Amino acid sequence: MTINIGVIGTGAIGREHIRRCSTVLQNARVVALNDINRDNCQQIVNELTPEARIYDDAIDLINDPQVNAVLVTSWGPTHEAFVLACIEAGKAVFCEKPLAVTAQGCMNIVEAEIKTGRQLVQVGFMRPYDSGYRALKAVIDSGEIGEPLMLHCAHRNPEVGDSYTTDMAITDTLIHELDVLRWLLNDDYASVQVIFPRKTRKASSHLRDPQIVLLETAKGARIDVEIFVNCEYGYDIQCEVVGESGIARLPEPVSVQTRSAAKLSTTILTDWKKRFIDAYDVELQAFINNVISGEMTGPSAWDGYAAAVAADACVAAQTSGEIVPVKMADKPAFYR
Ligand code: NAP
């Protein structure tokens, strides 16, 4: 079976996902495109999907009976309305993060999905599909290192543009840790705090960089995440889990070790797209498989909501300097 996919938003990640569907993944083809900028769609049609139809209105794309499932890869503030329209049309939807820009927006989606009685939404958090994180979770779940007590994590980018602001360290960057660490520990967040070490001279004047986010989970584990987006040396994701009887670390990406010029070295990636490229493939193939089987797995609308609530608390903690509680609604039975 081949499913027909419609894509709303054909910018950077939309284009990448269309390339994936057209050349890497199985059982899916892109048949419909929409973007606020029609030229973006035309370029994709010319280069990747000659048979795809361009829609001037995203809602018409969603409601086209030919479209079996939708990818929402437009600008974040547009996601909520498009996902709600997909739910209303009874169509499976893969929505890039954020599910919505506010926790209330995510809750609106959760409530709409529950009303249909069918899980239709998958959120584009790709780290649970990364082989390294999966291997790390397998070790934790096996009990080999005992109960997790502390996590030391880092999310480092070589540099960011001038438009990157202090809160984006949470909403654009940390958001991936907020999702994957909940999944890794099978736990929720209880409180957060953000502290700012000495600022790097490489950051723009309006950006506080680096930052350290301290999270406490409901089970009492303590997590520190360093976010350092002008670290200069590479794109580097670290995660070390300290358990009662051992330590487990996220594996480094595969890199050939060289001995040369009196140095033993391996390469560190600089491009975030390459770090999780396999995970994006696995994530989107899982969505396609879910549409075919009729059963959604993977990051749900509830996970999108949980990440948004924690992110809101972190942004509040950035300004107040206080420990901020993470107050989630009770998890509906629908998502258990
Ligand atoms: P982008 O390059 O700016 O692409 C977004 C596209 O959506 C642009 O072509 C934009 O057109 C279009 N658009 C904006 N409003 C629209 C509307 N109302 N209807 C239809 N199209 C609209 O951004 P991106 O980097 O691809 O990011 C898109 C989303 O994916 C963001 O939410 C981002 O956070 C997420 N993302 C996730 C990951 C990940 O690791 N999971 C990585 C990258 C991005 P204009 O350019 O004309 O505004």
Side-chain angles (χ1 to χ4, degrees):
M1 179 183 179
T2 298
I3 59 159
N4 292 332
I5 291 188
V7 180
I8 302 172
T10 53
I13 195 102
R15 188 189 173 83
E16 269 296 289
H17 286 334
I18 293 165
R19 177 195 60 76
R20 260 181 202 103
C21 290
S22 309
T23 61
V24 183
L25 308 181
Q26 294 184 337
N27 303 329
R29 65 173 164 245
V30 174
V31 299
L33 301 171
N34 164 263
D35 193 289
I36 202 158
N37 179 351
R38 201 173 208 275
D39 291 349
N40 283 353
C41 294
Q42 192 56 56
Q43 210 177 339
I44 303 261
V45 167
N46 297 346
E47 293 169 16
L48 286 168
T49 57
E51 281 155 30
R53 185 173 156 199
I54 300 174
Y55 288 75
D56 289 325
D57 185 338
I59 303 300
D60 289 343
L61 176 150
I62 292 168
N63 289 324
D64 181 340
Q66 256 220 324
V67 171
N68 306 125
V70 178
L71 307 188
V72 175
T73 48
S74 48
W75 191 44
T78 64
H79 291 183
E80 180 185 347
F82 293 148
V83 172
L84 287 171
C86 289
I87 293 172
E88 201 181 322
K91 301 238 167 121
V93 51
F94 174 94
C95 179
E96 264 307 338
K97 61 88 183 163
L99 178 59
V101 287
T102 62
Q104 183 55 53
C106 294
M107 185 48 94
N108 294 341
I109 290 170
V110 161
E111 286 170 354
E113 195 179 38
I114 291 174
K115 237 185 242 168
T116 69
R118 212 153 56 94
Q119 226 171 298
L120 292 166
V121 180
Q122 181 175 328
V123 183
F125 287 127
M126 75 296 183
R127 289 205 195 170
Y129 295 96
D130 173 65
S131 57
Y133 274 109
R134 286 186 170 217
L136 182 58
K137 184 165 175 60
V139 169
I140 296 168
D141 290 350
S142 75
E144 189 184 336
I145 63 164
E147 289 296 326
L149 308 175
M150 294 174 281
L151 275 72
H152 308 298
C153 309
H155 190 141
R156 304 191 187 109
N157 294 59
E159 60 179 357
V160 289
D162 270 356
S163 57
Y164 189 99
T165 50
T166 299
D167 60 325
M168 285 168 74
I170 306 296
T171 55
D172 263 37
T173 303
L174 181 79
I175 196 82
H176 287 291
E177 269 79 17
L178 290 176
D179 175 68
V180 79
L181 300 179
R182 261 183 87 238
W183 168 82
L184 202 59
L185 298 178
N186 194 21
D187 204 350
D188 273 313
Y189 303 116
S191 70
V192 302
Q193 187 183 9
V194 180
I195 55 176
F196 295 97
R198 182 181 178 188
K199 178 177 163 169
T200 170
R201 288 172 301 164
K202 311 292 177 183
S204 56
S205 56
H206 60 79
L207 175 62
R208 301 184 77 176
D209 183 42
Q211 309 182 23
I212 299 171
V213 178
L214 303 171
L215 302 147
E216 184 181 12
T217 72
K219 292 178 190 164
R222 288 286 185 161
I223 305 170
D224 54 88
V225 187
E226 169 202 315
I227 309 162
F228 187 13
V229 293
N230 287 283
C231 78
E232 292 214 312
Y233 73 87
Y235 182 70
D236 196 6
I237 303 298
Q238 299 288 324
C239 180
E240 180 182 85
V241 183
V242 181
E244 294 166 297
S245 49
I247 289 174
R249 281 190 77 95
L250 181 68
E252 294 288 342
V254 174
S255 166
V256 172
Q257 200 182 61
T258 56
R259 287 171 157 79
S260 165
K263 274 193 187 150
L264 175 63
S265 55
T266 55
T267 305
I268 296 175
L269 292 172
T270 51
D271 182 352
W272 61 266
K273 285 190 220 83
K274 290 192 181 147
R275 173 65 179 84
F276 290 109
I277 192 158
D278 295 338
Y280 287 117
D281 289 348
V282 180
E283 164 195 57
L284 209 50
Q285 186 65 62
F287 174 69
I288 292 163
N289 297 348
N290 289 341
V291 175
I292 292 170
S293 72
E295 196 183 330
M296 281 292 158
T297 60
S300 65
W302 181 257
D303 296 317
Y305 164 75
V309 173
D312 284 354
C314 290
V315 172
Q318 280 181 324
T319 16
S320 71
E322 306 285 322
I323 296 172
V324 176
V326 178
K327 290 186 187 146
M328 297 238 300
D330 289 338
K331 189 171 182 175
F334 184 78
Y335 294 101
R336 282 194 202 118

